[in-house]
mmCIF file of all heavy atoms in Angstrom:
data_model
loop_
_atom_site.group_PDB
_atom_site.id
_atom_site.type_symbol
_atom_site.label_atom_id
_atom_site.label_comp_id
_atom_site.label_asym_id
_atom_site.label_seq_id
_atom_site.Cartn_x
_atom_site.Cartn_y
_atom_site.Cartn_z
ATOM 1 N N ILE A 1 -3.951 -11.879 16.870
ATOM 2 C CA ILE A 1 -5.215 -12.364 16.279
ATOM 3 C C ILE A 1 -5.274 -12.028 14.817
ATOM 4 O O ILE A 1 -5.643 -12.880 13.965
ATOM 5 C CB ILE A 1 -6.419 -11.819 17.075
ATOM 6 C CG1 ILE A 1 -6.360 -12.319 18.529
ATOM 7 C CG2 ILE A 1 -7.703 -12.152 16.377
ATOM 8 C CD1 ILE A 1 -7.486 -11.806 19.390
ATOM 9 N N THR A 2 -5.008 -10.761 14.444
ATOM 10 C CA THR A 2 -5.038 -10.393 13.041
ATOM 11 C C THR A 2 -4.080 -11.228 12.194
ATOM 12 O O THR A 2 -4.429 -11.702 11.100
ATOM 13 C CB THR A 2 -4.718 -8.891 12.868
ATOM 14 O OG1 THR A 2 -5.676 -8.140 13.625
ATOM 15 C CG2 THR A 2 -4.789 -8.494 11.405
ATOM 16 N N ARG A 3 -2.886 -11.454 12.723
ATOM 17 C CA ARG A 3 -1.889 -12.230 11.994
ATOM 18 C C ARG A 3 -2.363 -13.687 11.820
ATOM 19 O O ARG A 3 -2.180 -14.268 10.770
ATOM 20 C CB ARG A 3 -0.554 -12.174 12.732
ATOM 21 C CG ARG A 3 0.563 -12.893 11.973
ATOM 22 C CD ARG A 3 1.907 -12.629 12.605
ATOM 23 N NE ARG A 3 2.962 -13.233 11.790
ATOM 24 C CZ ARG A 3 4.260 -13.155 12.068
ATOM 25 N NH1 ARG A 3 4.651 -12.454 13.160
ATOM 26 N NH2 ARG A 3 5.186 -13.714 11.310
ATOM 27 N N LEU A 4 -2.957 -14.196 12.873
ATOM 28 C CA LEU A 4 -3.439 -15.586 12.781
ATOM 29 C C LEU A 4 -4.555 -15.742 11.760
ATOM 30 O O LEU A 4 -4.512 -16.624 10.924
ATOM 31 C CB LEU A 4 -3.985 -16.028 14.162
ATOM 32 C CG LEU A 4 -4.456 -17.489 14.289
ATOM 33 C CD1 LEU A 4 -3.301 -18.434 14.163
ATOM 34 C CD2 LEU A 4 -5.146 -17.654 15.634
ATOM 35 N N LEU A 5 -5.491 -14.779 11.762
ATOM 36 C CA LEU A 5 -6.573 -14.839 10.771
ATOM 37 C C LEU A 5 -6.052 -14.616 9.374
ATOM 38 O O LEU A 5 -6.483 -15.305 8.394
ATOM 39 C CB LEU A 5 -7.614 -13.741 11.100
ATOM 40 C CG LEU A 5 -8.402 -13.970 12.398
ATOM 41 C CD1 LEU A 5 -9.301 -12.754 12.669
ATOM 42 C CD2 LEU A 5 -9.221 -15.207 12.367
ATOM 43 N N ALA A 6 -5.081 -13.708 9.201
ATOM 44 C CA ALA A 6 -4.519 -13.419 7.885
ATOM 45 C C ALA A 6 -3.733 -14.638 7.345
ATOM 46 O O ALA A 6 -3.856 -14.965 6.175
ATOM 47 C CB ALA A 6 -3.663 -12.178 7.959
ATOM 48 N N ASP A 7 -2.914 -15.222 8.177
ATOM 49 C CA ASP A 7 -2.189 -16.411 7.736
ATOM 50 C C ASP A 7 -3.152 -17.526 7.257
ATOM 51 O O ASP A 7 -2.900 -18.181 6.245
ATOM 52 C CB ASP A 7 -1.329 -16.942 8.888
ATOM 53 C CG ASP A 7 -0.074 -16.071 9.077
ATOM 54 O OD1 ASP A 7 0.286 -15.349 8.147
ATOM 55 O OD2 ASP A 7 0.497 -16.122 10.169
ATOM 56 N N ALA A 8 -4.218 -17.739 8.004
ATOM 57 C CA ALA A 8 -5.170 -18.792 7.638
ATOM 58 C C ALA A 8 -5.878 -18.456 6.314
ATOM 59 O O ALA A 8 -6.083 -19.328 5.446
ATOM 60 C CB ALA A 8 -6.184 -18.979 8.738
ATOM 61 N N ALA A 9 -6.261 -17.160 6.153
ATOM 62 C CA ALA A 9 -6.964 -16.764 4.933
ATOM 63 C C ALA A 9 -6.028 -16.825 3.711
ATOM 64 O O ALA A 9 -6.471 -17.269 2.612
ATOM 65 C CB ALA A 9 -7.539 -15.393 5.118
ATOM 66 N N LEU A 10 -4.820 -16.337 3.851
ATOM 67 C CA LEU A 10 -3.904 -16.290 2.705
ATOM 68 C C LEU A 10 -3.432 -17.653 2.288
ATOM 69 O O LEU A 10 -2.837 -17.791 1.188
ATOM 70 C CB LEU A 10 -2.703 -15.379 3.026
ATOM 71 C CG LEU A 10 -3.034 -13.900 3.224
ATOM 72 C CD1 LEU A 10 -1.784 -13.103 3.609
ATOM 73 C CD2 LEU A 10 -3.676 -13.274 2.019
ATOM 74 N N ALA A 11 -3.595 -18.624 3.114
ATOM 75 C CA ALA A 11 -3.206 -19.999 2.722
ATOM 76 C C ALA A 11 -4.225 -20.699 1.864
ATOM 77 O O ALA A 11 -3.961 -21.748 1.303
ATOM 78 C CB ALA A 11 -2.931 -20.836 4.013
ATOM 79 N N LEU A 12 -5.432 -20.120 1.719
ATOM 80 C CA LEU A 12 -6.471 -20.704 0.949
ATOM 81 C C LEU A 12 -6.210 -20.579 -0.531
ATOM 82 O O LEU A 12 -5.799 -19.488 -1.015
ATOM 83 C CB LEU A 12 -7.866 -20.052 1.263
ATOM 84 C CG LEU A 12 -8.325 -20.166 2.727
ATOM 85 C CD1 LEU A 12 -9.619 -19.368 2.896
ATOM 86 C CD2 LEU A 12 -8.559 -21.631 3.077
ATOM 87 N N PRO A 13 -6.396 -21.648 -1.331
ATOM 88 C CA PRO A 13 -6.124 -21.545 -2.788
ATOM 89 C C PRO A 13 -6.986 -20.489 -3.458
ATOM 90 O O PRO A 13 -6.528 -19.833 -4.405
ATOM 91 C CB PRO A 13 -6.482 -22.970 -3.308
ATOM 92 C CG PRO A 13 -6.339 -23.848 -2.081
ATOM 93 C CD PRO A 13 -6.726 -23.018 -0.901
ATOM 94 N N ALA A 14 -8.211 -20.321 -3.065
ATOM 95 C CA ALA A 14 -9.086 -19.342 -3.690
ATOM 96 C C ALA A 14 -8.525 -17.918 -3.517
ATOM 97 O O ALA A 14 -8.690 -17.107 -4.429
ATOM 98 C CB ALA A 14 -10.509 -19.432 -3.089
ATOM 99 N N VAL A 15 -7.885 -17.638 -2.392
ATOM 100 C CA VAL A 15 -7.308 -16.346 -2.166
ATOM 101 C C VAL A 15 -6.059 -16.190 -2.995
ATOM 102 O O VAL A 15 -5.813 -15.116 -3.584
ATOM 103 C CB VAL A 15 -7.017 -16.126 -0.677
ATOM 104 C CG1 VAL A 15 -6.296 -14.821 -0.436
ATOM 105 C CG2 VAL A 15 -8.307 -16.175 0.118
ATOM 106 N N ARG A 16 -5.225 -17.222 -3.147
ATOM 107 C CA ARG A 16 -4.001 -17.147 -3.936
ATOM 108 C C ARG A 16 -4.296 -16.838 -5.398
ATOM 109 O O ARG A 16 -3.534 -16.168 -6.073
ATOM 110 C CB ARG A 16 -3.200 -18.435 -3.796
ATOM 111 C CG ARG A 16 -2.660 -18.693 -2.415
ATOM 112 C CD ARG A 16 -1.713 -19.860 -2.398
ATOM 113 N NE ARG A 16 -1.151 -20.104 -1.092
ATOM 114 C CZ ARG A 16 -0.164 -20.957 -0.828
ATOM 115 N NH1 ARG A 16 0.385 -21.658 -1.875
ATOM 116 N NH2 ARG A 16 0.293 -21.145 0.392
ATOM 117 N N ARG A 17 -5.433 -17.380 -5.868
ATOM 118 C CA ARG A 17 -5.785 -17.162 -7.257
ATOM 119 C C ARG A 17 -6.273 -15.760 -7.529
ATOM 120 O O ARG A 17 -6.379 -15.325 -8.670
ATOM 121 C CB ARG A 17 -6.858 -18.189 -7.695
ATOM 122 C CG ARG A 17 -6.334 -19.608 -7.816
ATOM 123 C CD ARG A 17 -7.317 -20.472 -8.541
ATOM 124 N NE ARG A 17 -8.620 -20.555 -7.862
ATOM 125 C CZ ARG A 17 -8.942 -21.517 -6.961
ATOM 126 N NH1 ARG A 17 -8.051 -22.433 -6.641
ATOM 127 N NH2 ARG A 17 -10.113 -21.508 -6.385
ATOM 128 N N ARG A 18 -6.652 -15.029 -6.464
ATOM 129 C CA ARG A 18 -7.185 -13.664 -6.618
ATOM 130 C C ARG A 18 -6.366 -12.701 -5.748
ATOM 131 O O ARG A 18 -6.759 -12.272 -4.672
ATOM 132 C CB ARG A 18 -8.646 -13.617 -6.160
ATOM 133 C CG ARG A 18 -9.572 -14.541 -6.986
ATOM 134 C CD ARG A 18 -10.955 -14.534 -6.390
ATOM 135 N NE ARG A 18 -11.840 -15.353 -7.150
ATOM 136 C CZ ARG A 18 -12.015 -16.673 -7.027
ATOM 137 N NH1 ARG A 18 -11.237 -17.324 -6.129
ATOM 138 N NH2 ARG A 18 -12.873 -17.377 -7.787
ATOM 139 N N PRO A 19 -5.153 -12.350 -6.196
ATOM 140 C CA PRO A 19 -4.280 -11.497 -5.370
ATOM 141 C C PRO A 19 -4.886 -10.145 -5.062
ATOM 142 O O PRO A 19 -4.563 -9.541 -4.033
ATOM 143 C CB PRO A 19 -3.044 -11.354 -6.241
ATOM 144 C CG PRO A 19 -3.466 -11.684 -7.648
ATOM 145 C CD PRO A 19 -4.553 -12.728 -7.486
ATOM 146 N N ALA A 20 -5.736 -9.610 -5.982
ATOM 147 C CA ALA A 20 -6.334 -8.305 -5.712
ATOM 148 C C ALA A 20 -7.238 -8.374 -4.479
ATOM 149 O O ALA A 20 -7.448 -7.326 -3.795
ATOM 150 C CB ALA A 20 -7.115 -7.860 -6.918
ATOM 151 N N LEU A 21 -7.763 -9.544 -4.180
ATOM 152 C CA LEU A 21 -8.643 -9.682 -3.027
ATOM 153 C C LEU A 21 -7.958 -9.477 -1.714
ATOM 154 O O LEU A 21 -8.547 -9.012 -0.740
ATOM 155 C CB LEU A 21 -9.273 -11.096 -3.052
ATOM 156 C CG LEU A 21 -10.338 -11.397 -1.969
ATOM 157 C CD1 LEU A 21 -11.539 -10.534 -2.124
ATOM 158 C CD2 LEU A 21 -10.719 -12.888 -2.019
ATOM 159 N N THR A 22 -6.636 -9.730 -1.683
ATOM 160 C CA THR A 22 -5.930 -9.642 -0.388
ATOM 161 C C THR A 22 -5.758 -8.185 0.084
ATOM 162 O O THR A 22 -5.597 -7.937 1.265
ATOM 163 C CB THR A 22 -4.499 -10.238 -0.537
ATOM 164 O OG1 THR A 22 -3.742 -9.463 -1.529
ATOM 165 C CG2 THR A 22 -4.602 -11.694 -1.046
ATOM 166 N N GLY A 23 -5.738 -7.207 -0.874
ATOM 167 C CA GLY A 23 -5.497 -5.858 -0.505
ATOM 168 C C GLY A 23 -4.041 -5.484 -0.529
ATOM 169 O O GLY A 23 -3.736 -4.319 -0.324
ATOM 170 N N MET A 24 -3.142 -6.465 -0.754
ATOM 171 C CA MET A 24 -1.732 -6.148 -0.816
ATOM 172 C C MET A 24 -1.232 -5.856 -2.206
ATOM 173 O O MET A 24 -0.267 -5.123 -2.393
ATOM 174 C CB MET A 24 -0.909 -7.330 -0.204
ATOM 175 C CG MET A 24 -1.125 -7.592 1.260
ATOM 176 S SD MET A 24 0.016 -8.852 1.893
ATOM 177 C CE MET A 24 -0.575 -10.298 0.974
ATOM 178 N N ALA A 25 -1.941 -6.436 -3.197
ATOM 179 C CA ALA A 25 -1.420 -6.324 -4.575
ATOM 180 C C ALA A 25 -1.559 -4.867 -5.074
ATOM 181 O O ALA A 25 -0.703 -4.375 -5.810
ATOM 182 C CB ALA A 25 -2.226 -7.251 -5.494
ATOM 183 N N ALA A 26 -2.606 -4.172 -4.688
ATOM 184 C CA ALA A 26 -2.779 -2.804 -5.152
ATOM 185 C C ALA A 26 -2.112 -1.832 -4.156
ATOM 186 O O ALA A 26 -2.334 -1.940 -2.899
ATOM 187 C CB ALA A 26 -4.295 -2.456 -5.206
ATOM 188 N N PRO A 27 -1.263 -0.904 -4.569
ATOM 189 C CA PRO A 27 -0.580 0.001 -3.668
ATOM 190 C C PRO A 27 -1.472 1.042 -3.043
ATOM 191 O O PRO A 27 -1.078 1.617 -2.024
ATOM 192 C CB PRO A 27 0.462 0.662 -4.533
ATOM 193 C CG PRO A 27 -0.065 0.574 -5.940
ATOM 194 C CD PRO A 27 -0.877 -0.669 -5.996
ATOM 195 N N GLY A 28 -2.667 1.281 -3.594
ATOM 196 C CA GLY A 28 -3.513 2.313 -3.050
ATOM 197 C C GLY A 28 -3.375 3.618 -3.805
ATOM 198 O O GLY A 28 -2.314 3.900 -4.381
ATOM 199 N N ARG A 29 -4.447 4.404 -3.856
ATOM 200 C CA ARG A 29 -4.453 5.592 -4.666
ATOM 201 C C ARG A 29 -3.402 6.631 -4.153
ATOM 202 O O ARG A 29 -2.685 7.246 -4.962
ATOM 203 C CB ARG A 29 -5.813 6.226 -4.644
ATOM 204 C CG ARG A 29 -6.873 5.392 -5.354
ATOM 205 C CD ARG A 29 -8.204 6.082 -5.318
ATOM 206 N NE ARG A 29 -9.253 5.279 -5.990
ATOM 207 C CZ ARG A 29 -10.519 5.665 -6.094
ATOM 208 N NH1 ARG A 29 -10.929 6.845 -5.592
ATOM 209 N NH2 ARG A 29 -11.395 4.917 -6.711
ATOM 210 N N LEU A 30 -3.370 6.837 -2.853
ATOM 211 C CA LEU A 30 -2.437 7.831 -2.297
ATOM 212 C C LEU A 30 -0.989 7.437 -2.575
ATOM 213 O O LEU A 30 -0.176 8.245 -2.983
ATOM 214 C CB LEU A 30 -2.684 8.036 -0.823
ATOM 215 C CG LEU A 30 -1.853 9.091 -0.135
ATOM 216 C CD1 LEU A 30 -2.049 10.442 -0.781
ATOM 217 C CD2 LEU A 30 -2.191 9.163 1.384
ATOM 218 N N ARG A 31 -0.656 6.181 -2.374
ATOM 219 C CA ARG A 31 0.694 5.740 -2.593
ATOM 220 C C ARG A 31 1.054 5.796 -4.084
ATOM 221 O O ARG A 31 2.179 6.143 -4.447
ATOM 222 C CB ARG A 31 0.861 4.288 -2.077
ATOM 223 C CG ARG A 31 2.288 3.792 -2.091
ATOM 224 C CD ARG A 31 2.383 2.380 -1.540
ATOM 225 N NE ARG A 31 1.954 2.289 -0.183
ATOM 226 C CZ ARG A 31 2.735 2.582 0.863
ATOM 227 N NH1 ARG A 31 4.001 2.942 0.634
ATOM 228 N NH2 ARG A 31 2.323 2.471 2.104
ATOM 229 N N THR A 32 0.067 5.542 -4.943
ATOM 230 C CA THR A 32 0.338 5.596 -6.381
ATOM 231 C C THR A 32 0.635 7.036 -6.783
ATOM 232 O O THR A 32 1.564 7.347 -7.566
ATOM 233 C CB THR A 32 -0.881 5.102 -7.169
ATOM 234 O OG1 THR A 32 -1.122 3.717 -6.786
ATOM 235 C CG2 THR A 32 -0.622 5.160 -8.679
ATOM 236 N N ARG A 33 -0.164 7.998 -6.282
ATOM 237 C CA ARG A 33 0.097 9.386 -6.629
ATOM 238 C C ARG A 33 1.423 9.870 -6.078
ATOM 239 O O ARG A 33 2.140 10.631 -6.757
ATOM 240 C CB ARG A 33 -1.048 10.265 -6.047
ATOM 241 C CG ARG A 33 -2.388 10.027 -6.778
ATOM 242 C CD ARG A 33 -3.475 10.918 -6.181
ATOM 243 N NE ARG A 33 -4.735 10.708 -6.887
ATOM 244 C CZ ARG A 33 -5.849 11.351 -6.564
ATOM 245 N NH1 ARG A 33 -5.839 12.236 -5.591
ATOM 246 N NH2 ARG A 33 -6.966 11.111 -7.228
ATOM 247 N N LEU A 34 1.776 9.480 -4.864
ATOM 248 C CA LEU A 34 3.042 9.873 -4.292
ATOM 249 C C LEU A 34 4.188 9.233 -5.083
ATOM 250 O O LEU A 34 5.288 9.826 -5.174
ATOM 251 C CB LEU A 34 3.104 9.458 -2.821
ATOM 252 C CG LEU A 34 2.158 10.189 -1.871
ATOM 253 C CD1 LEU A 34 2.224 9.579 -0.476
ATOM 254 C CD2 LEU A 34 2.562 11.692 -1.813
ATOM 255 N N GLY A 35 3.978 8.064 -5.635
ATOM 256 C CA GLY A 35 5.023 7.408 -6.423
ATOM 257 C C GLY A 35 5.287 8.136 -7.724
ATOM 258 O O GLY A 35 6.412 8.170 -8.244
ATOM 259 N N ARG A 36 4.223 8.719 -8.287
ATOM 260 C CA ARG A 36 4.376 9.481 -9.566
ATOM 261 C C ARG A 36 5.123 10.769 -9.330
ATOM 262 O O ARG A 36 5.923 11.211 -10.172
ATOM 263 C CB ARG A 36 3.030 9.761 -10.160
ATOM 264 C CG ARG A 36 2.269 8.528 -10.679
ATOM 265 C CD ARG A 36 0.857 8.894 -11.073
ATOM 266 N NE ARG A 36 0.092 7.719 -11.433
ATOM 267 C CZ ARG A 36 -1.235 7.749 -11.574
ATOM 268 N NH1 ARG A 36 -1.907 8.888 -11.394
ATOM 269 N NH2 ARG A 36 -1.889 6.627 -11.902
ATOM 270 N N ARG A 37 4.817 11.394 -8.218
ATOM 271 C CA ARG A 37 5.399 12.705 -7.980
ATOM 272 C C ARG A 37 5.769 12.796 -6.472
ATOM 273 O O ARG A 37 4.939 13.130 -5.639
ATOM 274 C CB ARG A 37 4.408 13.829 -8.334
ATOM 275 C CG ARG A 37 5.014 15.231 -8.209
ATOM 276 C CD ARG A 37 4.026 16.275 -8.613
ATOM 277 N NE ARG A 37 4.580 17.598 -8.477
ATOM 278 C CZ ARG A 37 3.910 18.714 -8.772
ATOM 279 N NH1 ARG A 37 2.648 18.619 -9.186
ATOM 280 N NH2 ARG A 37 4.496 19.891 -8.609
ATOM 281 N N SER A 38 7.000 12.487 -6.190
ATOM 282 C CA SER A 38 7.464 12.469 -4.754
ATOM 283 C C SER A 38 7.503 13.920 -4.250
ATOM 284 O O SER A 38 7.989 14.815 -4.907
ATOM 285 C CB SER A 38 8.838 11.839 -4.687
ATOM 286 O OG SER A 38 9.266 11.830 -3.354
ATOM 287 N N PRO A 39 6.943 14.111 -3.083
ATOM 288 C CA PRO A 39 6.929 15.459 -2.512
ATOM 289 C C PRO A 39 8.350 15.933 -2.139
ATOM 290 O O PRO A 39 9.178 15.135 -1.778
ATOM 291 C CB PRO A 39 6.052 15.303 -1.253
ATOM 292 C CG PRO A 39 6.210 13.888 -0.861
ATOM 293 C CD PRO A 39 6.358 13.151 -2.157
ATOM 294 N N ARG A 40 8.581 17.233 -2.281
ATOM 295 C CA ARG A 40 9.861 17.827 -1.910
ATOM 296 C C ARG A 40 9.584 18.844 -0.816
ATOM 297 O O ARG A 40 9.711 20.061 -1.028
ATOM 298 C CB ARG A 40 10.530 18.442 -3.137
ATOM 299 C CG ARG A 40 10.945 17.421 -4.206
ATOM 300 C CD ARG A 40 11.714 18.088 -5.334
ATOM 301 N NE ARG A 40 12.915 18.775 -4.861
ATOM 302 C CZ ARG A 40 14.058 18.201 -4.558
ATOM 303 N NH1 ARG A 40 14.157 16.885 -4.686
ATOM 304 N NH2 ARG A 40 15.075 18.914 -4.160
ATOM 305 N N LEU A 41 9.161 18.315 0.325
ATOM 306 C CA LEU A 41 8.755 19.162 1.429
ATOM 307 C C LEU A 41 9.938 19.773 2.181
ATOM 308 O O LEU A 41 9.883 20.902 2.654
ATOM 309 C CB LEU A 41 7.892 18.353 2.422
ATOM 310 C CG LEU A 41 6.593 17.762 1.812
ATOM 311 C CD1 LEU A 41 5.934 16.849 2.832
ATOM 312 C CD2 LEU A 41 5.636 18.885 1.412
ATOM 313 N N MET A 42 11.029 18.992 2.311
ATOM 314 C CA MET A 42 12.117 19.446 3.133
ATOM 315 C C MET A 42 12.898 20.600 2.459
ATOM 316 O O MET A 42 13.633 21.325 3.159
ATOM 317 C CB MET A 42 13.103 18.253 3.380
ATOM 318 C CG MET A 42 12.463 17.128 4.131
ATOM 319 S SD MET A 42 11.675 17.617 5.672
ATOM 320 C CE MET A 42 9.945 17.333 5.315
ATOM 321 N N ALA A 43 12.701 20.787 1.176
ATOM 322 C CA ALA A 43 13.356 21.895 0.536
ATOM 323 C C ALA A 43 12.674 23.224 0.903
ATOM 324 O O ALA A 43 13.253 24.297 0.694
ATOM 325 C CB ALA A 43 13.308 21.726 -0.992
ATOM 326 N N ARG A 44 11.509 23.154 1.486
ATOM 327 C CA ARG A 44 10.776 24.368 1.863
ATOM 328 C C ARG A 44 10.637 24.456 3.413
ATOM 329 O O ARG A 44 9.639 24.846 3.945
ATOM 330 C CB ARG A 44 9.397 24.374 1.251
ATOM 331 C CG ARG A 44 9.396 24.304 -0.298
ATOM 332 C CD ARG A 44 7.973 24.293 -0.872
ATOM 333 N NE ARG A 44 8.010 24.251 -2.294
ATOM 334 C CZ ARG A 44 8.052 23.124 -3.017
ATOM 335 N NH1 ARG A 44 8.136 21.936 -2.400
ATOM 336 N NH2 ARG A 44 8.038 23.170 -4.327
ATOM 337 N N ARG A 45 11.695 24.044 4.077
ATOM 338 C CA ARG A 45 11.635 23.993 5.520
ATOM 339 C C ARG A 45 11.345 25.351 6.147
ATOM 340 O O ARG A 45 10.569 25.437 7.079
ATOM 341 C CB ARG A 45 12.968 23.447 6.096
ATOM 342 C CG ARG A 45 13.243 22.016 5.702
ATOM 343 C CD ARG A 45 14.325 21.445 6.583
ATOM 344 N NE ARG A 45 15.581 22.106 6.494
ATOM 345 C CZ ARG A 45 16.523 21.873 5.579
ATOM 346 N NH1 ARG A 45 16.289 20.945 4.659
ATOM 347 N NH2 ARG A 45 17.685 22.532 5.569
ATOM 348 N N ARG A 46 11.901 26.399 5.612
ATOM 349 C CA ARG A 46 11.674 27.716 6.211
ATOM 350 C C ARG A 46 10.213 28.109 6.093
ATOM 351 O O ARG A 46 9.646 28.737 6.985
ATOM 352 C CB ARG A 46 12.572 28.762 5.512
ATOM 353 C CG ARG A 46 14.050 28.577 5.815
ATOM 354 C CD ARG A 46 14.851 29.679 5.175
ATOM 355 N NE ARG A 46 16.285 29.535 5.485
ATOM 356 C CZ ARG A 46 17.231 30.369 5.023
ATOM 357 N NH1 ARG A 46 16.878 31.409 4.245
ATOM 358 N NH2 ARG A 46 18.486 30.159 5.340
ATOM 359 N N ARG A 47 9.585 27.732 5.017
ATOM 360 C CA ARG A 47 8.166 28.043 4.853
ATOM 361 C C ARG A 47 7.335 27.384 5.911
ATOM 362 O O ARG A 47 6.443 27.975 6.522
ATOM 363 C CB ARG A 47 7.674 27.623 3.455
ATOM 364 C CG ARG A 47 6.212 27.890 3.207
ATOM 365 C CD ARG A 47 5.809 27.352 1.864
ATOM 366 N NE ARG A 47 6.565 27.972 0.773
ATOM 367 C CZ ARG A 47 6.401 27.653 -0.533
ATOM 368 N NH1 ARG A 47 5.538 26.675 -0.834
ATOM 369 N NH2 ARG A 47 7.109 28.250 -1.435
#
């Protein structure tokens, strides 16, 4: 159902003209921060 609704919505010209509206164009705050500074958690496995 979600895929069906999304396919129908993303096919609309008004949605194509506004990529930010889809929610896919922006990576999100958490992903952006992780992209700037990738965590090095496995180096502290003993901790």
